[in-house]
Every structure is written in structure tokens, then in C-alpha cells.
Amino acid sequence: MLLRALGRPAMDFINYLGELSVLCAQMAESMLIGKKRWYLFMQQIVEIGFKSQPVVIITGAFVGAVLAAQGLFQLSGLKMETMGGALVSVGMLRELGPALTGVMLAGRVGASMAAEIGTMRVTEQIDALRSMSVHPIDYLVAPRLTAMVISVPLLITEAAAFGIAASWVVGTQVFGVSEAWWAQHTRDHTALADIYISLIKGFAFGLLIVLISCHQGLKAKDGAVGVGQGTTRAMVYSSLAILITNFFLTMLLNLVFPIGLAG
């Protein structure tokens, strides 16, 4: 009985990974030899990149501000307040910027992808595309994938930049830390390696969001209820995948790019 209870979820998970692998292979084939739809790509750049900027900026700024404030409360007891800028810079670029931006985009963009494609699925619009010899992966997935892997690293960089700027305001204007020392320590402890990690994580998280969200949309069924369930699963699965992947990428990338590596 116990084996049956444990075996069914395990088999469902393996089947789910298999479906994702098939979709990933189809996406790779579409990117290499499929028809390029530049108008749809530009539409997705606007939807994913441009329209996501407000939420990314606000998230990055307030995460940087609260990280600076909490860090300074601790560092003040050690008389190391000037290190606050370095703490925020490394933290935002290597960890908080990529992870939180990815989770926010999973909610905003991933859910939208799943809902839009899922609606097309249950209303048989995807079948209509096939009847017109239009491959659904080329038309629906490839433009979103290209736009996402370009936009997410840039959005993460933007979130980190605003987080670092907000931390400067909190540190120097609220806590009264010397501006010169704050800037000096931030420059000394921020390297190109931190930016490399941020961009690599952004690329990986963008791929995960598109893969999981489009899969949920393409597999939607049972009308509006199924679309709603697929949208919820897309957001939850994408967020969990980002957080889990972030741990393994952190362990790997910190071996390749140690903290403080000179650019």
C-alpha cells in the first residue's frame, strides 16, 4: 500500500519530465530549422521585457533596500557599516536579483503564457493552426522562448542595479555611512564574475519559465477550469523549478566563479 502511494506520484513525475524533454527537443528543433516569426518575437519582447520593467524595478529596489537595512543593523555592531554596499551588490547579483526576478516573472509572464496558449488549446485554435500547416511550436513557443532568454538576463541586471542604488540611499542617507567608503567597498568587492553568474541564471530561469508554462498551456483540457488549473500549475511549478535550480546553479557557479574573482 505504501509502495503504491509512493509509486504513483513518482511515475507521474517521471512522465512529466518525459513530456518536458519532448517539448524541449521540439523547441530546439524549431529554433534551429523552424520558420522565424520576427513580428511575433517583437510582440513578446514588448510583453515580456518592456511591460515587466515596473514590477522588476520595484522588486529589485525594495529588496536591495531591505537587505541594506538588515545588513547594516548587523554590521553596525561589528563597526563594519561601510561593507553594506559590498554585501548588497554581491547578494543582488549572485542570488536575490536572479531568484526573485525569476519568481516574479513566473507569476506575471509564465501564468499569462499558460492561460493564452491553454485558451487556444481548449477552443481548438491550435488544431486550426495545424490544419493550415502552421507548426504550433514555431508559432506559439519559439517567439516566446527567444524573447524570454533575451529579456530575463536584462531584467535581472536591471533589478540588481536598482537594488544596489536603493541600498546606497538607505546606507548613506538613512544610516549615515560615508558615501566614499560605501562606493569604494562596493567597487572593490563586485567583479565581472558576479555579473556572469547573474546572466547565466537569467538565461536558465527564462528557459524554465517558457518550458513549463508553454507545456501547461499545450496540455490544457476541460475548458475554462482546465485553463485555470494549468495557469496555476505553471506559476507554481515554474517558481519551484527556479528555486531548486538556483540552489544547484549556486553550488556549481561559485566553484567556477569564486567570490571576488577579478574581471
Side-chain angles (χ1 to χ4, degrees), residues 1-18 237:
M1 202 66 178
L2 178 61
L3 290 177
R4 181 180 299 178
L6 295 176
R8 178 56 62 86
M11 292 301 297
D12 290 342
F13 180 68
I14 293 172
N15 181 64
Y16 178 69
L17 291 181
Y237 292 176

Side-chain angles (χ1 to χ4, degrees), residues 68-127:
Q70 186 61 50
L72 287 169
F73 282 130
Q74 305 299 320
L75 292 172
S76 60
L78 303 173
K79 305 299 181 184
M80 297 176 61
E81 297 93 335
T82 56
M83 293 298 297
L87 171 68
V88 174
S89 178
V90 174
M92 288 298 298
L93 286 171
R94 286 180 174 251
E95 294 300 331
L96 294 177
L100 291 179
T101 300
V103 170
M104 295 298 294
L105 290 175
R108 183 196 175 275
V109 178
S112 176
M113 285 184 188
E116 183 178 352
I117 296 176
T119 300
M120 295 181 68
R121 167 76 175 179
V122 299
T123 57
E124 300 182 353
Q125 294 181 55
I126 292 180
D127 294 331

Side-chain angles (χ1 to χ4, degrees), residues 7 30 173 196:
S30 177
Q173 307 304 313
Y196 295 155

